[in-house]
Amino acid sequence: MKKTTKFISAALAAALCAGLLAGCNSASSSSGSTSASGSASASASASASSSTSAGAESIDYSKGLAENGHIDGVTALDYVTLPADYAAIPLAAGTADVSDEDVQAQIDMILAQFAEPTQVTDRAIEDGDQVNIDYSGSIDGEKFDGGTASSYMATAGSAEFIDDFLTQIIGHTPGETFDVEVTFPDPYKSNPDLAGKDALFEVTINYIEESVPPEFTDDFVKENLTASYGWESAEHARESIREDLRQGQISQFVWNYMMENSTVSEVPQAVLDFQSGAMLNQLKSQASMYGIDSATFLQAMGVASEEAFLEQYAEDIKSSATQLLIIQAIAEDAKLKADDAALAKYFSDNMGTEDYSTYEEHFGRPYVSMVVLSELANNYLMDNAVNA
């Protein structure tokens, strides 16, 4: 089964974010879901290519790992019985089918990133529209503080304003001026003097703002996507996206198959500890982006402690640890090794260079080896999968 080297499976991302060092730039990577541990690794990856903020907490990504990328002191095959056909997983019919609609959905997601705001004045407001308005409020004919604004952007139908103010603008057209009648809530903390009072707002609709995406043309691809994705034309992009989606579906299938058909007698504490550490690493990495420590970040999240945080994600941690154990079991049974040659190839394929010293320095050789070993296991399953 042919693979796409830049594709990293969502299943592996859930376990380890296997492509965290690659900065995977396939279309599918932008839509794949990740578990808490995958997000942790992804956040850590971002920090590798940027300077560490002042006062950032120390992160040891390789803690609990051996140099070869295995969990230190753990032989996975002592705990995992792999399915007999894991080296030739039978793919269900339709697993590799990708519709034109699936491809277009990915393209639409990309185009949305380049959409430009446009002012629309020739249609009525609909629920959810972004609308630019002027308004002036009064109570018993008298204007009040905070009741007047010009060129204010609001979402039609939302509860952004009091009462049903923004529901009443639905159906009106830019250029119209009309009255909106509302009642202030009681109590009203923002201004107790207005609590419970009826108010009249004169509202003028200036325009509706829509985000208009560009056309997906050869010129657009060359100008905006070739450098990041390597696509040379719109058709090349479509073909690449289709292949990435196909590979993603196959990867998802084989990893679901492995999770359902592998027997895990026990998840060693060492594996659970590593995954818990990955969660805390994510926490520290995210906190550093805001220039605060993890304790302050937890407090802002409404979580009392690291222990409470880990308890909140205990189910995700166990699931990710189980996947990690199965990955290591595959590596042990298939004699896969993250040696110097494998690391050089990984970085050459995904980063365009065989020099991985920066990543090794930041993450540690054990962690880099684990990432590469995870991709080797993923590729092994996908290369050997067979159509049923």
Side-chain angles (χ1 to χ4, degrees):
M1 184 67 61
K2 183 180 178 182
K3 66 179 182 297
T4 298
T5 56
K6 289 191 176 181
F7 176 80
I8 303 300
S9 73
L12 277 177
L16 303 165
C17 190
L20 71 118
L21 301 182
C24 180
N25 57 11
S26 68
S28 58
S29 69
S30 65
S31 59
S33 62
T34 61
S35 73
S37 64
S39 298
S41 297
S43 296
S45 175
S47 68
S49 58
S50 62
S51 59
T52 305
S53 61
E57 296 172 274
S58 175
I59 300 177
D60 183 359
Y61 296 101
S62 287
K63 184 178 181 180
L65 295 173
E67 284 291 307
N68 62 359
H70 292 199
I71 298 294
D72 198 17
V74 172
T75 300
L77 288 173
D78 290 344
Y79 304 93
V80 178
T81 301
L82 298 169
D85 59 355
Y86 87 91
I89 295 175
L91 299 176
T95 298
D97 294 346
V98 177
S99 69
D100 292 341
E101 290 75 16
D102 291 335
V103 174
Q104 187 60 47
Q106 294 296 315
I107 291 173
D108 290 344
M109 288 173 62
I110 294 172
L111 291 176
Q113 300 174 35
F114 295 88
E116 296 288 343
T118 299
Q119 296 181 9
V120 176
T121 58
D122 60 353
R123 68 169 177 83
I125 296 170
E126 299 175 359
D127 191 12
D129 278 342
Q130 297 298 308
V131 185
N132 185 282
I133 62 175
D134 301 334
Y135 61 84
S136 179
S138 60
I139 296 176
D140 296 331
E142 297 291 330
K143 296 186 183 298
F144 54 89
D145 290 343
T148 301
S150 298
S151 297
Y152 188 93
M153 292 300 302
T155 303
S158 73
E160 186 179 342
F161 287 0
I162 61 169
D163 207 353
D164 63 346
F165 187 115
L166 293 175
T167 298
Q168 294 185 49
I169 71 173
I170 294 174
H172 289 280
T173 302
E176 284 189 54
T177 297
F178 54 94
D179 291 337
V180 168
E181 298 180 3
V182 294
T183 301
F184 280 92
D186 189 5
Y188 185 54
K189 294 182 180 179
S190 298
N191 188 342
D193 292 339
L194 301 179
K197 294 185 177 180
D198 295 330
L200 179 71
F201 284 84
E202 182 181 81
V203 178
T204 298
I205 306 298
N206 298 320
Y207 58 85
I208 302 166
E209 185 173 280
E210 293 183 350
S211 292
V212 179
E215 293 185 30
F216 199 69
T217 62
D218 290 347
D219 288 341
F220 171 81
V221 170
K222 290 176 182 177
E223 181 178 347
N224 298 286
L225 304 176
T226 297
S228 299
Y229 295 87
W231 300 333
E232 298 176 354
S233 66
E235 184 57 30
H236 183 199
R238 290 181 184 279
E239 292 174 357
S240 180
I241 291 170
R242 186 181 299 276
E243 179 62 12
D244 279 348
L245 290 173
R246 190 181 77 86
Q247 294 288 337
Q249 291 170 187
I250 294 171
S251 181
Q252 188 67 54
F253 180 89
V254 298
W255 280 104
N256 286 343
Y257 186 91
M258 292 300 297
M259 293 297 291
E260 292 170 2
N261 293 282
S262 298
T263 301
V264 179
S265 62
E266 178 187 354
V267 180
Q269 188 61 44
V271 188
L272 293 169
D273 289 345
F274 174 78
Q275 289 300 133
S276 296
M279 287 291 294
L280 295 179
N281 288 343
Q282 176 194 23
L283 186 70
K284 293 176 181 178
S285 179
Q286 290 182 333
S288 70
M289 294 178 187
Y290 293 97
I292 58 178
D293 60 24
S294 56
T296 304
F297 193 58
L298 281 174
Q299 187 177 25
M301 293 169 60
V303 181
S305 63
E306 288 186 353
E307 290 73 18
F309 177 72
L310 293 176
E311 179 61 30
Q312 182 176 331
Y313 288 101
E315 190 173 324
D316 285 338
I317 289 169
K318 185 173 182 180
S319 176
S320 297
T322 301
Q323 292 180 64
L324 173 57
L325 193 63
I326 291 173
I327 288 169
Q328 184 172 318
I330 294 168
E332 291 172 4
D333 194 66
K335 305 297 190 293
L336 305 176
K337 298 185 183 299
D339 54 21
D340 290 344
L343 266 63
K345 184 178 187 308
Y346 175 91
F347 280 87
S348 177
D349 289 345
N350 293 285
M351 303 294 287
T353 177
E354 294 185 1
D355 181 8
Y356 51 87
S357 58
T358 300
Y359 293 91
E360 186 172 15
E361 179 180 354
H362 183 83
F363 293 104
R365 174 61 181 253
Y367 193 82
V368 174
S369 295
M370 181 203 67
V371 169
V372 175
L373 198 66
S374 299
E375 184 174 81
L376 291 174
N378 183 60
N379 291 347
Y380 181 86
L381 295 180
M382 294 184 65
D383 287 346
N384 292 291
V386 297
N387 292 317

